[in-house]
Amino acid sequence: MTPVRPWTPSRVLPALGGWCALAAQLLPVGAPLRAVVVTAFLLAGPGAAAVDWARPLPAPVRGPDRLSAAGLVVALSVAFAVLTAEALFFTGSFGAARAVLVLAVLTTVLTLLPRRLPRLPRHPLHRLHRLHRPHRLHRDRDRERRPDGRPPVRWRLLTVATVLALSAACGATGSIGSTGSGGSSGNGTGVGGVFDPSAPSASAPAAPASGTPLPVGADQPPSTGPWHSVFRDDFNGSGLDHGSWATCYDWNDGGCTNAGNQEDQWYLPGQVSVADGKLTLTAERKATSGSDGKTYPWTSGMVSTGRDQWDGTPRKTFTYGYFAAAIRTTGQAAGMFPAFWLLPAGTRGGLPELDIAEFINTDQYADLNLHAQAPDGTDIDAHFSHGPVDFSSGYHVFGLDWEPDAVTWYVDGVPVFQVTDPSVIPTVPMELILDLAVGYHQSPPAGVDRTQVDVDWVGVWQH
């Protein structure tokens, strides 16, 4: 009877590591134990199971070949992980826990998969003969080695590893290449499920000129409904609707700034105007005294669905929904920081924060961000930069679908970024803000004294 692989710790550990990594997903994001367990499994688990199954000899690798075997294990593990991520990515179902689950199942299958070992000689005299002729055994073993004294190349396993590595590399290169040189980029710090389902290429269509219709469906929620409208302003009146909008943050009355960012502007109501079917936020180089006793070199405008003063009642707060606005950003990008974002009503400026679109000293890239804090106090930041597109030459629709299990960013009706780790997704009521900050990271050039941002409409839908 042909022997099969025995159950040994080295055979069982990879599969056990996979299920431990899946269980570690229940730990808080940023927990060291979670990071160590998951990283160890991703770097060793699937590859170790594959090598153990495909190895032609039952004996473990010894001596100098340990390093090459370890390299093969890591290469296979990384290839399996990348291919799994790409498969989930292209089906729009990527998530950290889901990827670990798939790899844990794969590792378990490789562990349970039967493999027959080489048949040993059955004749007792032959075995006795070999026992009494150790030099013959050494000679046979030497025949299995290459001239340089190393064991024969495991061509079958090496071929599989090469194919997997090349496939993963090609897939990853395709994903990166689709952004174009200097194009979109994304990263997530401490976030399990961050992905870019449809990054635009550098050859993306030019921005629509002023007055040109936006893409069909860009002014509607995505097809994940049903939806109903809970807030809408088309700015068709002759002035700002103060029943819907405040002109400062919650922490000031009659004027304000964001001192945490050390910005150059003091927001005033007079810098906000509604005319010709649009909202305009205007920034001007004009020394302005703030109620905090400081003088600011710029004054600018902002609107918020929040309070008029610290102890007031917010006008509108939202928990989950689809948020969108048609925005034409400033063409004087240097030193300017327009933003369309959500801030929690309860903390008056604390985390979490959802940035639907930020333009930090640029009119070519829109920064899409989720900022939160883990239970252990670790900062969590998910970020994606969408572009290059000239966002100042016409209106573009920036949308955010905020759900309990996913947050998805849209530009002109197309999904461009998503976070799928429920543990970092905000669950608190939030206020809607549009502002034009000045002097974040850098002050405007000396020749720039005035600029503006236009908003055609703002809408919020909920299920």
Side-chain angles (χ1 to χ4, degrees):
M1 182 175 180
T2 304
V4 295
R5 291 185 299 169
W7 288 100
T8 61
S10 63
R11 180 182 173 189
V12 176
L13 280 177
L16 182 61
W19 298 108
C20 289
L22 185 63
Q25 297 297 309
L26 300 175
L27 297 174
V29 175
L33 180 60
R34 172 177 172 169
V36 170
V37 172
V38 174
T39 301
F41 169 66
L42 293 180
L43 289 179
V51 168
D52 183 70
W53 175 76
R55 185 172 53 207
L57 296 175
V61 178
R62 294 187 175 90
D65 293 317
R66 286 184 181 274
L67 185 60
S68 60
L72 185 59
V73 165
V74 173
L76 280 169
S77 295
V78 172
F80 278 127
V82 173
L83 287 172
T84 299
E86 289 172 357
L88 295 174
F89 165 81
F90 287 117
T91 57
S93 57
F94 181 84
R98 190 170 295 157
V100 172
L101 174 61
V102 171
L103 290 170
V105 170
L106 173 65
T107 304
T108 303
V109 169
L110 288 171
T111 300
L112 297 175
L113 203 62
R115 183 177 72 89
R116 298 182 184 278
L117 298 180
R119 187 186 298 272
L120 297 174
R122 301 179 63 181
H123 199 286
L125 292 179
H126 182 69
R127 286 200 298 269
L128 183 63
H129 176 71
R130 293 191 64 154
L131 288 174
H132 288 282
R133 299 281 303 276
H135 64 280
R136 172 72 176 273
L137 179 61
H138 292 308
R139 189 166 65 249
D140 292 342
R141 189 175 295 169
D142 290 339
R143 289 174 184 172
E144 296 177 352
R145 291 185 171 271
R146 301 184 312 195
D148 59 2
R150 303 177 68 180
V153 177
R154 299 176 175 90
W155 293 109
R156 183 174 64 176
L157 188 58
L158 184 60
T159 301
V160 172
T162 303
V163 171
L164 286 172
L166 288 176
S167 299
C170 291
T173 303
S175 299
I176 296 172
S178 66
T179 65
S181 177
S184 303
S185 63
N187 62 64
T189 304
V191 178
V194 180
F195 78 103
D196 167 28
S198 57
S201 66
S203 59
S210 179
T212 301
L214 290 163
V216 175
D219 61 342
Q220 297 295 324
S223 57
T224 55
W227 299 93
H228 66 277
S229 177
V230 295
F231 180 77
R232 178 83 181 194
D233 197 336
D234 291 295
F235 305 111
N236 290 327
S238 57
L240 185 69
D241 178 4
H242 292 281
S244 298
W245 301 103
T247 53
C248 289
Y249 291 114
D250 291 342
W251 50 79
N252 280 106
D253 184 12
C256 57
T257 192
N258 189 342
N261 284 345
Q262 300 180 341
E263 295 168 354
D264 290 346
Q265 86 292 329
W266 182 258
Y267 291 116
L268 288 175
Q271 303 304 119
V272 179
S273 62
V274 172
D276 301 323
K278 65 182 179 181
L279 167 74
T280 300
L281 307 176
T282 303
E284 293 183 277
R285 187 188 294 273
K286 181 169 60 177
T288 306
S289 298
S291 59
D292 57 359
K294 298 180 181 179
T295 299
Y296 294 83
W298 282 75
T299 182
S300 189
M302 66 164 289
V303 293
S304 164
T305 62
R307 307 167 175 85
D308 283 321
Q309 60 270 343
W310 179 266
D311 57 353
T313 301
R315 289 165 169 78
K316 299 280 186 181
T317 61
F318 311 94
T319 307
Y320 308 124
Y322 182 70
F323 306 80
I327 301 172
R328 178 171 56 200
T329 190
T330 172
Q332 301 286 347
M336 301 299 168
F337 181 16
F340 175 35
W341 53 304
L342 295 165
L343 198 63
T347 57
R348 293 177 175 83
L351 296 175
E353 175 183 324
L354 290 170
D355 299 322
I356 305 171
E358 292 184 328
F359 305 91
I360 306 175
N361 302 303
T362 180
D363 55 11
Q364 299 293 311
Y365 292 89
D367 281 350
L368 322 174
N369 307 297
L370 182 152
H371 302 296
Q373 193 171 62
D376 62 358
T378 304
D379 287 338
I380 298 168
D381 299 286
H383 164 77
F384 185 76
S385 184
H386 176 81
V389 176
D390 186 357
F391 293 114
S392 67
S393 64
Y395 287 101
H396 288 265
V397 177
F398 301 92
L400 177 84
D401 185 3
W402 171 22
E403 306 288 348
D405 59 350
V407 180
T408 309
W409 283 255
Y410 291 77
V411 177
D412 292 332
V414 178
V416 295
F417 180 46
Q418 187 178 67
V419 173
T420 56
D421 187 342
S423 66
V424 306
I425 294 175
T427 60
V428 298
M430 304 184 84
E431 302 168 354
L432 190 63
I433 300 171
L434 287 151
D435 66 348
L436 174 51
V438 184
Y440 181 61
H441 290 326
Q442 70 180 80
S443 294
V448 176
D449 297 319
R450 178 187 175 94
T451 192
Q452 67 184 43
V453 169
D454 297 326
V455 183
D456 188 42
W457 56 264
V458 178
V460 180
W461 294 261
Q462 290 180 332
H463 293 302

